[in-house]
Amino acid sequence: MFDSLIMILVALFTLASAFCLYWLLGQRGIAMFMEYREMFTNSARANLSDSVMVADTGRLFYANVVAMVVVPLLVWVIVGDWMIALVLFGLLAALPQYAYRRMRKKRMKKFEIQLPDALSMMSGSLKAGASLSIAIDSMVMEMPDPISQEFELFRREQKLGADFETAMKHMEHRIPVIDFQLVVSALRISREVGGNLTEVMESMADTLRKKAMMEGKIQSLTAQGTMQGYVMACLPIGIGAILMFMEPVHMGKLFNTDIGYMTLGVIVVMEFLGFMTIRKITSIDV
């Protein structure tokens, strides 16, 4: 009887401990989920705001969570390899940040390409006798996005009471492009010490066009090296796929043994380092 009572107490204690552990892990899991949600939505809101885009960050978060859960599970059920599902989970987790950076980089590049034409247009308006504000308004109406959006925000800040220097600082913060920073510095110097603003804009537009031409020549000269980097990165993958089709038994050991996983890890790291090295060599800043 006494032994039975002890066994019952031990069982109750074990159940209580398991419940407490489950509750603590659940609370910690919920806290981590909320922290990740807040980090994701704040990052998405900031990145979309920098790109002058409006979207429901809550829906983006839940879509990303569903993709991170459903897609790896489907791959695991179909393929039967948890390692591939885990790698896919990591890729889906990193995909939003990569997409934001890609969109922002594309927007900044487009802004940089449009900047010389915008300066030439404002210079022409100044030659016709218009003020700088009217020249900017004319340029906003004529130029496409994204440069028209950014200067429109600049003009709206001024209309709401911000002075020229403050609005320009905010725009410079949104557009971290070296060419635009040079233009801002030229405008500040011209406003502080005086001078012919029309000639300054024409000179800046001509300089930026020559810089763009030089960058284009460099890209054409380094295109072969860049292509070699992509070929080097894709060639082992292609050879591995062919060998997997020809010798599935021997190649299958890469995906179902510990040594195979270690080998794949070394291959991925070496591929990444080689690709980044070639990309660094072929990337020349003007």
Side-chain angles (χ1 to χ4, degrees):
M1 184 67 181
F2 184 73
D3 294 338
S4 300
L5 182 60
I6 293 178
M7 292 179 63
I8 293 173
L9 292 175
V10 170
L12 291 175
F13 178 77
T14 303
L15 289 174
S17 301
F19 177 78
C20 292
L21 182 62
Y22 175 78
W23 183 80
L24 291 174
L25 291 176
Q27 292 295 320
R28 182 55 183 168
I30 293 173
M32 292 177 63
F33 179 81
M34 297 304 295
E35 290 176 2
Y36 177 70
R37 182 179 185 276
E38 183 178 1
M39 181 184 67
F40 182 94
T41 53
N42 291 337
S43 177
R45 191 178 298 110
N47 284 282
L48 293 174
S49 177
D50 290 340
S51 299
V52 196
M53 296 177 62
V54 179
D56 190 344
T57 55
R59 290 185 178 180
L60 290 176
F61 168 74
Y62 287 112
N64 179 248
V65 170
V66 170
M68 288 169 57
V69 174
V70 174
V71 175
L73 284 177
L74 288 176
V75 172
W76 181 57
V77 171
I78 296 172
V79 179
D81 193 337
W82 64 269
M83 191 66 181
I84 298 178
L86 186 62
V87 171
L88 188 60
F89 175 83
L91 291 176
L92 289 174
L95 181 62
Q97 291 297 326
Y98 173 78
Y100 295 145
R101 287 196 298 267
R102 185 72 177 175
M103 288 190 300
R104 182 171 174 78
K105 184 178 180 180
K106 186 177 181 180
R107 180 181 174 83
M108 295 300 103
K109 186 64 177 178
K110 192 173 181 180
F111 181 93
E112 190 175 359
I113 293 173
Q114 294 174 343
L115 187 57
D117 294 335
L119 292 176
S120 297
M121 191 174 295
M122 287 190 290
S123 175
S125 299
L126 292 174
K127 280 184 178 180
S131 64
L132 180 59
S133 298
I134 296 176
I136 293 175
D137 290 338
S138 301
M139 184 272 296
V140 168
M141 290 187 293
E142 296 294 334
M143 292 292 293
D145 297 335
I147 197 167
S148 61
Q149 289 179 334
E150 295 296 340
F151 275 97
E152 176 66 21
L153 291 176
F154 169 78
R155 294 293 298 133
R156 286 184 181 181
E157 286 190 23
Q158 285 191 312
K159 291 178 182 179
L160 290 175
D163 57 5
F164 182 88
E165 184 67 23
T166 302
M168 188 60 69
K169 283 183 179 179
H170 293 166
M171 188 174 177
E172 189 177 7
H173 177 72
R174 294 194 306 269
I175 309 295
V177 177
I178 297 178
D179 293 350
F180 183 67
Q181 293 175 356
L182 294 175
V183 173
V184 171
S185 299
L187 290 175
R188 287 172 178 167
I189 294 173
S190 178
R191 287 176 62 87
E192 291 177 1
V193 302
N196 193 335
L197 186 58
T198 303
E199 293 182 359
V200 172
M201 288 190 173
E202 286 182 349
S203 177
M204 289 297 301
D206 184 61
T207 301
L208 294 179
R209 286 194 180 94
K210 291 180 179 179
K211 179 176 177 291
M213 291 177 59
M214 182 62 66
E215 288 179 345
K217 291 180 180 179
I218 292 174
Q219 288 179 359
S220 63
L221 293 173
T222 58
Q224 182 178 358
T226 304
M227 181 58 64
Q228 288 176 351
Y230 286 108
V231 171
M232 183 213 69
C234 296
L235 187 60
I237 299 175
I239 294 176
I242 295 173
L243 292 176
M244 190 69 183
F245 178 76
M246 296 176 61
E247 295 288 341
V249 177
H250 295 87
M251 290 295 293
K253 294 181 180 180
L254 286 173
F255 304 99
N256 52 29
T257 62
D258 294 338
I259 297 178
Y261 291 141
M262 293 173 61
T263 305
L264 286 176
V266 172
I267 291 173
V268 170
V269 171
M270 297 300 292
E271 281 280 313
F272 177 78
L273 292 177
F275 177 77
M276 294 305 296
T277 301
I278 293 179
R279 187 174 180 180
K280 186 68 176 178
I281 292 172
T282 57
S283 296
I284 302 175
D285 292 332
V286 180

